[in-house]
Amino acid sequence: MRCPFCGNDDTQVKDSRPHEDGAAIRRRRICGACGQRFTTIERVQLRDLVVIKADGRRVPFEREKLARSVRIALRKRPVDAERIERIVNGIVRRLEAMGETDIPSRDIGRLVMETLREIDSVAYIRFASVHWDFRDTKDFADILDTISASVSGEEGSDFAPDGAKDKD
């Protein structure tokens, strides 16, 4: 592992421990050249995922972009950072378990929305407003009606605003 301070390739692992409920390993390292200490986190990666955008572009899947989107949706909500990390890990595992390397962005968005809907309805609405590219307050009113209907047990709990399209 290259030292982030001096660029030296010779670093030593001083300590390793499980991280993120065993889904990753946290390693403390020290550089042989400059003596600086730093931490790395290793995760299992089953396959390289490619995201197919709505316009047909193909881009590498970025775990950090997914994590950032989930953190933004859950900002100032009663969900701690460790739980957010578990949520992101679970979504990534589900994506990898699909068995496909090419995944449409709309499928990733739906998976995130399913997860957020179970956790926090405000975060779900925040994410949906970006994912479905809400244009006016009617879109928000429609999704709120749908959530209210699903809480009271009525039909029609799968919401997508009129003319909704998944946004990249």
Side-chain angles (χ1 to χ4, degrees), residues 50-139:
V50 175
V51 178
I52 302 171
K53 299 291 196 167
D55 64 3
R57 286 181 299 128
R58 299 165 52 87
V59 297
F61 174 78
E62 296 179 44
R63 183 188 187 284
E64 184 51 38
K65 185 176 179 182
L66 172 67
R68 187 173 46 250
S69 296
V70 171
R71 280 193 302 269
I72 289 169
L74 288 165
R75 186 177 290 152
K76 295 187 179 182
R77 301 301 302 153
V79 179
D80 63 34
E82 284 183 27
R83 183 150 187 222
I84 292 172
E85 193 60 34
R86 286 193 308 270
I87 290 166
V88 172
N89 287 339
I91 292 169
V92 171
R93 278 195 297 271
R94 287 176 66 185
L95 290 170
E96 290 176 335
M98 288 178 171
E100 300 291 327
T101 55
D102 296 351
I103 302 172
S105 60
R106 71 178 174 277
D107 291 351
I108 297 170
R110 284 187 192 129
L111 204 67
V112 173
M113 287 177 48
E114 285 174 16
T115 304
L116 290 176
R117 187 170 188 160
E118 295 173 10
I119 294 167
D120 187 282
S121 58
V122 171
Y124 168 75
I125 292 168
R126 286 176 177 169
F127 189 88
S129 70
V130 174
H131 181 67
W132 282 325
D133 198 21
F134 284 9
R135 298 289 180 183
D136 56 40
T137 56
K138 181 185 178 308
D139 295 331

Side-chain angles (χ1 to χ4, degrees), residues 2 7 15 25 32 35 40 53 60 78 90 106 137 157 167:
R2 179 172 288 140
D15 179 45
I25 296 175
T40 60
K53 299 291 196 167
R106 71 178 174 277
T137 56
S157 62
K167 184 179 177 190

Side-chain angles (χ1 to χ4, degrees), residues 1-12 27-41:
M1 175 67 62
R2 179 172 288 140
C3 174
F5 301 101
C6 70
N8 181 35
D9 286 333
D10 183 30
T11 61
Q12 285 185 310
R27 298 192 193 278
R28 287 292 296 156
R29 296 177 178 266
I30 187 167
C31 176
C34 70
Q36 292 289 328
R37 295 176 181 261
F38 59 99
T39 301
T40 60
I41 297 175

Side-chain angles (χ1 to χ4, degrees), residues 128-129 131-146 156 158-166:
S129 70
H131 181 67
W132 282 325
D133 198 21
F134 284 9
R135 298 289 180 183
D136 56 40
T137 56
K138 181 185 178 308
D139 295 331
F140 285 96
D142 290 345
I143 197 169
L144 289 170
D145 290 343
T146 303
D158 291 332
F159 170 79
D162 294 335
K165 65 177 187 172
D166 297 321

